[in-house]
């Protein structure tokens, strides 16, 4: 399996065109129908995009186990200083890059949603971990993390019979244990939902994946329902039950988040940003953005020379079964 980067203004023919002036999109290419959509290796063996110093996003999940290096890692406008060891979780659609990094060492795990088709709870958990992204590991936790990553690396290189199932099992243990770790103090967690079902309805999981996807979104509830092949009323009921918020509220949040990413990480004009997030009228977009954030798009962009945790963007994640 190899990766390719879709640069702004080019089209890969799969709907992930970032458009002129947009953010580069990195995707995985599986060369054969039965090949495993999963890879693990060092920063060198995975490729130069694994240590890219410019803002970009993925169509896949990435887990980074950092064992050495100095500098910073920026994930959705939050800058994290390297103090290895770390675990980092990057969900599809999130924007990240390495800033001033030297001597970066560790392992990188990349895989698509297809790798976890039989484990929807793990997919939901990974997106929740993407909201926290950067986890510092005390010595006791660094030991089990190192063992699990080493086991995955060995199993992947060995490629013995049934290795796909073993990799999924090891990945499951890694994400469940990571979810138990305390979040960094600087990350303000959203309040717990009032109602957390034991199982997330499949349509809610698919809605979350659609909202977090690194491509142009359907920006209305009706468009989302059509894309998912369900009625508007069914989508509203399923998402409200799983998330505690309506699809309309979550789409509004997604539009704000995407606008922040584009304002902070690209040179697109405000008019172009408005168009990218589904507003034909730039003036209406400015009023919407100010209502949601307390700042105009221009003020937000001018005040974003330094990365602040107040500007953190968290991908939307549904509650999943308790681990």
């Amino acid at each position: 399996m190899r990766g390719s980067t879709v640069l702004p203004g080019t089209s890969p023919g799969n709907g992930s065109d970032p458009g002129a002036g947009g953010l580069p999109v990195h995707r995985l290419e599986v060369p054969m129908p039965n090949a495993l959509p999963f890879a693990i290796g060092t920063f060198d063996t995975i490729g130069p995009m694994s240590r890219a110093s410019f803002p970009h996003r993925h169509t896949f999940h990435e887990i980074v186990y950092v064992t050495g290096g100095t500098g910073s890692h920026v994930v959705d406008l939050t800058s994290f200083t390297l103090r290895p060891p770390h675990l980092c979780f990057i969900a599809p659609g999130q924007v990240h890059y390495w800033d001033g990094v030297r001597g970066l060492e560790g392992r990188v795990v990349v895989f698509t949603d297809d790798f976890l088709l039989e484990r929807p709870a793990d997919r939901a958990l990974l997106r929740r971990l993407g909201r926290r992204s950067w986890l510092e590991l005390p010595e006791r936790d660094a030991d089990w993390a190192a063992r699990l990553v080493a086991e995955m690396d060995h199993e992947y290189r060995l490629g013995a019979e049934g290795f796909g199932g073993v990799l999924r099992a090891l990945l499951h243990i890694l994400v469940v244990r990571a979810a138990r770790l305390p979040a960094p103090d600087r990350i303000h967690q959203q309040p717990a939902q009032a109602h957390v079902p034991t199982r997330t309805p499949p349509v809610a999981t698919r809605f979350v994946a659609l909202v977090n996807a690194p491509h142009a979104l359907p920006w209305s509830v009706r468009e989302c329902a059509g894309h998912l092949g369900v009625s508007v009323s069914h989508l509203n009921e399923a998402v409200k039950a799983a998330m505690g918020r309506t699809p309309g509220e979550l789409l509004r949040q997604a539009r704000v988040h995407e606008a922040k990413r584009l304002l902070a990480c690209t040179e697109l004009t405000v008019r172009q940003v408005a168009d990218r997030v589904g507003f034909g009228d730039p003036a209406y977009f400015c009023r919407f953005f100010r209502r949601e954030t307390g700042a105009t798009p221009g003020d937000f962009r001018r005040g974003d020379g330094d990365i602040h945790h107040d500007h953190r963007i968290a991908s939307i994640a549904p509650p999943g079964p308790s681990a």
Side-chain angles (χ1 to χ4, degrees):
M1 185 171 63
R2 64 187 180 89
S4 64
T5 304
V6 183
L7 299 175
T10 62
S11 177
N14 66 354
S16 58
D17 178 7
L23 288 160
V25 177
H26 192 54
R27 59 178 181 164
L28 297 181
E29 295 178 354
V30 182
M32 296 179 293
N34 296 323
L36 204 64
F38 175 100
I40 180 173
T42 65
F43 286 94
D44 290 331
T45 60
I46 290 294
M49 280 298 294
S50 65
R51 59 171 89 232
S53 59
F54 55 88
H56 65 285
R57 55 175 136 214
H58 308 146
T59 62
F60 52 88
H61 296 273
E62 179 173 335
I63 301 175
V64 183
Y65 178 55
V66 181
T67 57
T70 60
S72 301
H73 190 202
V74 181
V75 183
D76 271 345
L77 310 189
T78 300
S79 180
F80 300 97
T81 302
L82 268 66
R83 299 186 187 90
H86 299 288
L87 267 176
C88 179
F89 294 83
I90 305 161
Q94 287 189 286
V95 178
H96 81 115
Y97 63 96
W98 301 90
D99 185 24
V101 168
R102 294 179 178 273
L104 187 60
E105 296 179 356
R107 288 289 186 277
V108 181
V109 185
V110 294
F111 51 94
T112 67
D113 264 342
D114 289 344
F115 183 67
L116 295 175
L117 283 177
E118 298 174 2
R119 291 185 177 273
D122 283 0
R123 286 190 288 173
L125 192 54
L126 281 160
R127 283 188 164 83
R128 286 160 57 194
L129 283 165
R131 296 168 58 188
R132 301 163 58 179
S133 292
W134 194 253
L135 300 174
E136 297 186 5
L137 296 172
E139 185 176 349
R140 66 181 183 278
D141 296 309
D143 288 343
W144 62 252
R147 288 196 302 270
L148 284 171
V149 172
E151 278 290 313
M152 274 195 284
D153 187 67
H154 172 75
E155 192 69 27
Y156 179 73
R157 287 186 289 106
L158 188 63
E161 183 179 356
F163 78 116
V166 176
L167 288 171
R168 290 181 182 90
L170 292 169
L171 181 61
H172 172 73
I173 296 170
L174 179 67
V175 298
V176 168
R177 288 188 175 176
R180 295 172 181 168
L181 296 173
D185 292 338
R186 65 188 304 180
I187 302 301
H188 302 290
Q189 296 296 309
Q190 295 182 359
Q193 302 294 338
H195 170 60
V196 179
T198 56
R199 278 195 172 277
T200 304
V203 68
T205 301
R206 291 166 57 210
F207 174 79
V208 168
L210 179 63
V211 168
N212 288 326
H215 53 63
L217 290 176
W219 290 117
S220 75
V221 175
R222 185 172 298 278
E223 287 177 303
C224 287
H227 187 90
L228 298 173
V230 299
S231 68
V232 171
S233 60
H234 179 60
L235 181 62
N236 274 309
E237 291 172 3
V239 172
K240 182 68 181 292
M243 307 289 291
R245 289 178 290 172
T246 66
E249 291 172 322
L250 295 174
L251 278 172
R252 186 169 67 247
Q253 175 185 329
R255 294 172 100 170
V256 173
H257 290 172
E258 182 65 4
K260 286 182 176 181
R261 287 168 172 152
L262 295 174
L263 289 166
C265 299
T266 75
E267 295 183 0
L268 292 170
T269 66
V270 171
R271 178 182 292 275
Q272 289 171 319
V273 171
D275 184 64
R276 296 291 176 93
V277 295
F279 288 90
D281 181 356
Y284 181 59
F285 164 69
C286 290
R287 292 195 296 272
F288 165 83
F289 190 87
R290 184 165 189 168
R291 184 180 71 239
E292 296 295 325
T293 68
T296 67
D299 288 341
F300 179 86
R301 172 170 274 171
R302 284 189 293 273
D304 207 29
D306 295 323
I307 305 297
H308 300 292
H309 73 270
D310 289 344
H311 290 165
R312 176 170 171 77
I313 303 169
S315 56
I316 298 168
S322 56

